[in-house]
Amino acid sequence: MALMREFMRRSALWAREMRCDEWPFFDIAGHINPEARIEADIVKVIADKIGLQQPVILETVEWALNFAVLSDISTDLADLPSPFEPLVQMYERGGTFNLDGAGHIEVDTAAIPKGGIEQALERVPLDLDEEGLNALDEE
């Protein structure tokens, strides 16, 4: 849950910076530079390895890779934290999520309300170090 909340906070920072109405799940790199794309073959290989997942999960993986491409080719990105790092860490730690029809984001067996960008911006940043995340897992 903490990693999803941190992703939402970071996504809100980027949405505000770009004056973008989409939030929290969107292709940040595509809004900044539509040329910053990961190769479709790479996305397919990763999608095949992940197996059947919610479409939004596969999209976020592709968007994270697009952002990595953008980071490699652009020197003038906003000085903001990497937006997809919390999601990538969540996936690496075995977490997943689903969007329900009532505006909630279901993370594993819990759900959080999506809320709004301003609420996400008010959250305290989460330190993504391994030790801190392990401590959260134990709570």
Side-chain angles (χ1 to χ4, degrees), residues 27-86:
D27 185 5
I28 294 168
H31 282 276
I32 295 171
N33 180 351
E35 301 294 316
R37 316 300 312 153
I38 192 69
E39 294 177 32
D41 292 345
I42 294 173
V43 174
K44 183 176 178 356
V45 167
I46 292 170
D48 290 346
K49 286 188 183 287
I50 291 174
L52 183 61
Q53 295 284 337
Q54 295 294 322
V56 70
I57 291 176
L58 297 174
E59 289 173 333
T60 60
V61 169
E62 182 174 359
W63 297 336
L65 293 168
N66 290 343
F67 192 82
V69 169
L70 177 68
S71 296
D72 285 346
I73 65 173
S74 295
T75 58
D76 60 344
L77 289 178
D79 186 23
L80 295 172
S82 176
F84 294 101
E85 183 181 351

Side-chain angles (χ1 to χ4, degrees), residues 98-117:
N98 186 28
L99 304 176
D100 75 7
H104 289 87
I105 301 169
E106 297 171 343
V107 179
D108 296 326
T109 59
I112 57 174
K114 177 182 166 191
I117 288 178

